[in-house]
Amino acid sequence: VNEIVDDVVDRARATLGGKPVQLVLNEPHMLSIDGPPAVLSIILTNLLGNACQYTDQGSITVTVERDGVSITDTGCGMD
């Protein structure tokens, strides 16, 4: 999982362009799942893409934990 997350985060950095947004990757744990890597990549790309699109300034943090991956941001959120 960590390799997939690293790849998705690297690709997401390019989509931020000149926005004043810090993209932080925290990987305190190694995570393994039993599933197709391509599916995980698509899911993470969509979630992180939304965070990049709707965060105009501030930060986006991707964290790999023992039990999953979280993506948090300072974007506008959903109404």
Side-chain angles (χ1 to χ4, degrees):
V1 171
N2 294 66
E3 287 182 19
I4 294 168
V5 172
D6 290 343
D7 180 57
V8 170
V9 168
D10 284 344
R11 286 185 281 132
R13 286 187 203 284
T15 67
L16 289 173
K19 287 185 182 182
V21 176
Q22 182 181 17
L23 181 52
V24 178
L25 175 58
N26 294 322
E27 294 182 284
H29 302 284
M30 295 298 293
L31 178 63
S32 179
I33 63 166
D34 185 24
V39 172
L40 177 61
S41 180
I42 290 168
I43 292 167
L44 291 174
T45 297
N46 287 340
L47 292 172
L48 190 51
N50 286 343
C52 290
Q53 182 177 356
Y54 294 106
T55 302
D56 293 324
Q57 62 183 1
S59 64
I60 301 168
T61 303
V62 180
T63 305
V64 178
E65 294 289 351
R66 287 187 182 112
D67 59 350
V69 177
S70 67
I71 299 172
T72 57
D73 62 69
T74 58
C76 61
M78 295 175 59
D79 292 330

